[in-house]
Amino acid sequence: MISVIIPTCDRAPVLDRCLRALRDVKGIEGCEVIVVDDGSADSTPQVIARHAESFPVLRPLRQENQGPGRARNAGMAQAGGDVFLFLDDDVFASPGLLDAHVALLDAGADVSQGRLEWHPELAGSPVLRFMDRHGMQFVQEGYAHGRPVSFLHVYTANLCVRADVLRSVRFDDAFAARRYAFEDTALAYRLHRAGARLLFNAAAHALHYHPIDETQLVARERKVGYASQILASSYPEIAVAAGMRAFSLFDLLQAGVLAGLMGLGMDACAGFELRLRLRCREAFLRGALDYTLEQRRKGGSA
């Protein structure tokens, strides 16, 4: 049996669409669908309850808000399947998703990384095009079907894993503080080190529906900057492979210069591409500085 695990928080409308798409997936009636409500304050519980009335394989779980990694861990703890399929609440599965994932696992994969594409409704978004140009979301171009995929490019938005390879591996709680970034990378790295076969599955297709504007992207990059320092501290091998490093004096100077330029209104004078690059870089460095200062405060109070 396949256990589908979906963490969610305060995204009732998009979760509704996610579950409607999932109901049309071939073979879903033989699965269990575990939706973990990570402390939502909107109508998410009502959306889950409404689907559960006519979708008997759905199993609702609820926890206090702890982040998607811990929500996935909670789902795995309750799952009874021999295969886990992780989906995000803003990912809409194609009808053949389960068959495609199972086929690659049957061919010898331990981890089947599904293909993700932006939803057509988001076509034309300049922010999404910016993210694609700079590899800020899903890096999947260049991977051939059934071939190995780097642990750097594993995304639990659409990921199928044999349950037995996850017996001693869970999402790392260290990334729960800011609720974003690198939890799946750390999981994939540990699976890779344990000898699991991570393969790309071009046939396991799903659409990603996540509208995002400039302000939201900049806020996201601050969280990524924070998480990059957790990565550099806890998983230096991943940080090296990803071209990241611990926050340095140079980074502090760079953050100050960028903040000064934006304080003078230079970002407003720049074109879209340069403006967003400046804002994202400054936000990333601020996030890295947040973590560094937080650790120093903890050290000073110990």
Side-chain angles (χ1 to χ4, degrees):
M1 182 178 70
I2 297 175
S3 298
V4 183
I5 300 171
I6 305 172
T8 189
C9 183
D10 288 338
R11 303 176 75 181
V14 73
L15 174 66
D16 180 60
R17 294 183 65 177
C18 168
L19 292 175
R20 281 192 277 128
L22 196 59
R23 294 169 77 126
D24 292 333
V25 172
K26 180 182 176 184
I28 196 65
E29 66 281 355
C31 302
E32 63 175 354
V33 177
I34 301 174
V35 180
V36 185
D37 180 359
D38 186 34
S40 295
D42 66 353
S43 60
T44 291
Q46 289 74 30
V47 167
I48 296 172
R50 187 172 70 249
H51 278 277
E53 290 176 357
S54 56
F55 195 23
V57 299
L58 193 154
R59 293 180 54 197
L61 291 179
R62 184 174 172 85
Q63 65 177 25
E64 295 300 315
N65 182 254
Q66 300 176 60
R70 286 178 174 170
R72 293 187 186 99
N73 285 341
M76 282 192 281
Q78 297 297 317
D82 52 4
V83 170
F84 296 159
L85 172 59
F86 298 105
L87 293 176
D88 280 357
D89 59 5
D90 57 3
V91 168
F92 306 159
S94 61
L97 186 75
L98 290 176
D99 283 348
H101 275 306
V102 169
L104 194 60
L105 294 181
D106 286 346
D110 296 306
V111 179
S112 171
Q113 173 59 65
R115 181 162 57 96
L116 291 150
E117 294 181 343
W118 293 113
H119 196 286
E121 291 177 19
L122 305 179
S125 165
V127 175
L128 297 189
R129 289 199 299 270
F130 175 90
M131 294 172 69
D132 285 341
R133 283 195 300 274
H134 296 281
M136 298 171 73
Q137 191 63 43
F138 303 123
V139 179
Q140 297 188 319
E141 289 186 12
Y143 284 116
H145 177 74
R147 303 299 298 168
V149 61
S150 168
F151 59 80
L152 294 174
H153 302 145
V154 166
Y155 310 104
T156 46
N158 177 15
L159 188 75
C160 201
V161 187
R162 295 185 187 279
D164 58 351
V165 305
L166 286 169
R167 282 192 186 124
S168 59
V169 180
R170 288 293 186 266
F171 291 91
D172 193 335
D173 284 351
F175 294 97
R178 295 297 176 96
R179 315 290 201 259
Y180 198 89
F182 304 124
E183 291 171 319
D184 38 11
T185 308
L187 180 83
Y189 173 74
R190 291 158 69 200
L191 291 174
H192 167 72
R193 287 290 303 270
R197 295 188 69 204
L198 284 61
L199 304 183
F200 180 66
N201 194 335
H205 176 243
L207 296 174
H208 184 219
Y209 183 80
H210 193 118
I212 187 168
D213 60 24
E214 283 191 49
T215 300
Q216 291 167 331
L217 178 59
V218 170
R220 171 188 186 259
E221 282 302 290
R222 188 163 183 169
K223 293 180 180 180
V224 172
Y226 183 95
S228 75
Q229 298 308 292
I230 300 175
L231 200 68
S233 174
S234 301
Y235 299 91
E237 302 92 343
I238 302 178
V240 169
M244 296 178 180
R245 63 180 188 274
F247 193 79
S248 66
L249 177 60
F250 174 77
D251 294 319
L252 179 61
L253 293 171
Q254 187 181 168
V257 169
L258 289 173
L261 288 173
M262 285 187 283
L264 294 171
M266 294 295 290
D267 58 325
C269 299
F272 173 81
E273 177 78 16
L274 179 57
R275 179 181 72 247
L276 198 47
R277 287 183 69 178
L278 288 172
R279 293 187 68 197
C280 285
R281 182 60 181 167
E282 194 268 343
F284 180 93
L285 291 170
R286 276 185 181 272
L289 180 59
D290 289 344
Y291 176 86
T292 303
L293 294 176
E294 182 180 291
Q295 295 307 302
R296 288 181 180 175
R297 285 193 296 269
K298 288 180 178 178
S301 61

